Amino acid sequence: YHYPLLGLRFFGALLAIAGLSGLLSLHLHGALKWVPFASGGVLGNVIATALVNVLNSLGASLTLFVGSLVGLTLLTGLS
């Protein structure tokens, strides 16, 4: 196995999951009313609220979008 490449792919998967769950939590907050962290889960809620407090809603959306795209690029190896 090529362990540095495997580590880079694993980091890309984590970054993609964190970015996409943050985006879902930020933009689909009212999809399911009966579940407490419906879209994005607890991880997405924590990431989204932390970034909104620092960067505002637009900055958080752009940061999460770019992070998810970078994560998907690292995960798949496609550019």
Side-chain angles (χ1 to χ4, degrees), residues 10-11 20 32 34 54 69 71:
F10 183 72
F11 176 71
L20 290 173
L32 295 174
W34 55 275
V54 174
L69 288 181

Side-chain angles (χ1 to χ4, degrees), residues 33-59:
K33 300 277 186 195
W34 55 275
V35 179
F37 296 110
S39 59
V42 176
L43 176 68
N45 189 19
V46 168
I47 291 171
T49 54
L51 283 176
V52 165
N53 288 337
V54 174
L55 299 174
N56 206 350
S57 180
L58 181 63

Side-chain angles (χ1 to χ4, degrees), residues 2-46:
H2 195 260
Y3 289 112
L5 182 62
L6 187 63
L8 193 64
R9 298 277 168 106
F10 183 72
F11 176 71
L14 290 178
L15 191 62
I17 288 170
L20 290 173
S21 66
L23 274 174
L24 286 173
S25 178
L26 191 62
H27 292 288
L28 296 179
H29 54 275
L32 295 174
K33 300 277 186 195
W34 55 275
V35 179
F37 296 110
S39 59
V42 176
L43 176 68
N45 189 19
V46 168

